[in-house]
Amino acid sequence: MENLWAPWRMAFIQPKTPPKPGCIFCTQPAEGRDEEYHILQRGEHCFVMLNLYPYSNGHLMVAPYQHIGSLEELDAATLAEMMALAQLAIKALRLAMNPDGFNMGFNQGKVAGAGFAEHIHFHVVPRWNGDTNFMPVLADIKVMPEHIDTVYQQLKEALAKVQNGQE
């Protein structure tokens, strides 16, 4: 039997004590600690942050600052900025990580899988050919090849390049 060693994962899986109350899409941007919370980009109405529990490296979310639970409640300016930030994030992900495709979408409501059902957010999940393996099937385990802090730095640099026209 071979062992898979990933000691850095302990910080990821250990419970946060005590868990902070409230909505992460409200409290984290308000604290202004963007690097700590992996907030990659801020707009006037929305922001982009990495998902702490990603499906794959680079899995990020675009969320409005306003605490709204459904897509149909968003005003036109917020919805437009949400999509513009998603487009910017995709360009940065392509530059930094070269994925072969993306899964994108909303999980609206708890029954649809939304972890924070009361605050709408848009997922962008980069995908690569051959990125599936036996680990999720046999062991109910996903292996993330890079630490979230490394992904954050890569994407911050890529976002700066995209915004400066260096893509």
Side-chain angles (χ1 to χ4, degrees):
M1 173 186 286
E2 289 188 45
N3 291 313
L4 174 64
W5 297 101
W8 61 270
R9 296 274 300 154
M10 203 57 182
F12 177 77
I13 61 174
Q14 283 179 327
K16 311 292 183 261
T17 51
K20 289 187 175 183
C23 170
I24 64 165
F25 299 111
C26 293
T27 60
Q28 291 183 0
E31 290 184 29
R33 299 185 340 226
D34 290 4
E35 188 170 351
E36 179 181 344
Y37 292 124
H38 304 105
I39 296 172
L40 292 160
Q41 183 74 29
R42 288 176 176 268
E44 184 180 343
H45 305 285
C46 302
F47 64 98
V48 180
M49 71 187 302
L50 286 173
N51 191 323
L52 188 57
Y53 303 100
Y55 291 124
S56 69
N57 276 350
H59 178 174
L60 54 83
M61 301 170 293
V62 183
Y65 294 111
Q66 190 177 8
H67 190 80
I68 290 178
S70 66
L71 186 64
E72 63 269 24
E73 293 178 58
L74 292 175
D75 61 61
T78 303
L79 186 58
E81 185 178 84
M82 184 177 271
M83 291 300 105
L85 286 174
Q87 186 178 49
L88 178 67
I90 289 168
K91 288 178 181 179
L93 284 163
R94 283 193 194 283
L95 183 62
M97 306 178 97
N98 198 30
D100 297 310
F102 297 91
N103 291 115
M104 295 174 273
F106 296 93
N107 297 333
Q108 187 168 307
K110 191 140 191 91
V111 70
F116 287 87
E118 69 282 352
H119 198 130
I120 194 75
H121 52 283
F122 183 75
H123 291 264
V124 178
V125 182
R127 304 300 293 229
W128 292 265
N129 286 326
D131 71 351
T132 57
N133 60 47
F134 68 94
M135 294 295 282
V137 175
L138 298 180
D140 196 28
I141 293 172
K142 286 187 268 181
V143 179
M144 295 296 160
E146 287 186 290
H147 193 280
I148 193 168
D149 292 340
T150 303
V151 173
Y152 177 80
Q153 290 304 322
Q154 288 174 337
L155 289 177
K156 282 296 281 186
E157 291 169 15
L159 279 165
K161 287 180 182 176
V162 168
Q163 289 174 313
N164 291 326
Q166 300 171 343
E167 48 186 296

